[in-house]
Amino acid sequence: MTEVVSPTAAASGASATERFQERAKSSAASDAARLDAIATDALAALHEVIRKHQLTYDEYNAFKAWLIRVGEDGEWPLFLDVFIEHEVEKVANASREGTAGSIEGPYYVEGAPEFGAEGTLPMRDGEGGQPLRFFGQARSVSGEPLAGAVVDFWQADDDGLYSQFAPGIPEWNLRGRFTTDAEGNFSIHTIHPAPYQIPTDGATGALIAAAGWHAWRPAHLHIKVSAPGHQLITTQLYFDGGEHVGDDIATAVKDALILAPTAASSGAGEEVRYDFVLDPA
Ligand code: DHB
Ligand code: FE
């Protein structure tokens, strides 16, 4: 009998927490005045919510218990990236002229396998999902093609699951780094991912269910594009008409980031072009 391993919030949360802690080596410089201003305003905003809704002790204690559970489930990266990161991203990228950014989310892993300008992502035999060729060019805001730009790409599979965070998926499945050719072009052979559902068995899922919200992000591709002398852009691309494009739980969809694939000109499945425009550093 084959063992069926199903993903649990605690397992994917623990991996996401561990990955984040490994990567979060830099801590913001300790500017006491700025910290004072931010922490004071954040607490005042919460105090205002308490007054507005006349919070009871029962509700305060339920809130405390829930916060403790988010930590126990390792879900802080998931919770924060779904409900908070989108505003940080908008502030960080407000003055960009090039490609719009979107949230990074909790599932990026450094060091994915390298390909040249064109390649097929690591995938399993019979990997689910329509074949998808995703291609395009990296350019500067002044229109010059960027040769040697790195397109670091990751996505969920046809079950909405990410390698290294859900059990039983090969390590680098649907992750890869591509380097643009002399004309700035790249071409990635992959599959069309499925929408992603916040784990339902953890603290974040419990809040979503109790509040009567839905737990879905639309199908999406994750990309970081970088080139010497340019600002790295972290973004996501979505699919026109895809489920939850209009009501992403993570509020991370932008009109400029919606793709409309067409039938592939050769081979099976679909293809779509998207060009990345990088701002100067
Ligand atoms: C989350 C998952 C994602 O795939 C994503 O892109 C952003 C956030 C999350 O579960 O927090
Ligand atoms: Fe994602």
Side-chain angles (χ1 to χ4, degrees), residues 93-226:
N93 291 326
S95 62
R96 272 183 199 266
E97 286 173 39
T99 297
S102 186
I103 64 172
E104 175 169 325
Y107 298 138
Y108 174 64
V109 184
E110 279 175 358
E114 289 184 84
F115 297 86
E118 173 159 18
T120 301
L121 289 181
M123 57 178 89
R124 294 159 285 189
D125 286 346
E127 185 76 45
Q130 276 247 74
L132 170 69
R133 184 171 85 95
F134 170 64
F135 66 103
Q137 186 189 44
R139 288 192 301 272
S140 65
V141 285
S142 52
E144 277 163 60
L146 294 171
V150 175
V151 179
D152 199 342
F153 184 98
W154 72 106
Q155 66 169 79
D157 66 10
D158 189 41
D159 295 317
L161 301 174
Y162 287 85
S163 58
Q164 302 192 36
F165 296 90
I169 304 177
E171 189 175 23
W172 295 106
N173 212 59
L174 302 176
R175 297 175 184 272
R177 274 181 294 169
F178 296 79
T179 304
T180 59
D181 66 16
E183 282 78 48
N185 293 319
F186 67 91
S187 177
I188 303 173
H189 298 265
T190 182
I191 55 98
H192 190 120
Y196 166 89
Q197 186 181 27
I198 310 281
T200 51
D201 62 324
T204 310
L207 168 68
I208 288 168
W213 304 339
H214 76 74
W216 292 93
R217 299 213 58 222
H220 56 277
L221 309 174
H222 287 274
I223 312 98
K224 284 176 184 280
V225 186
S226 57

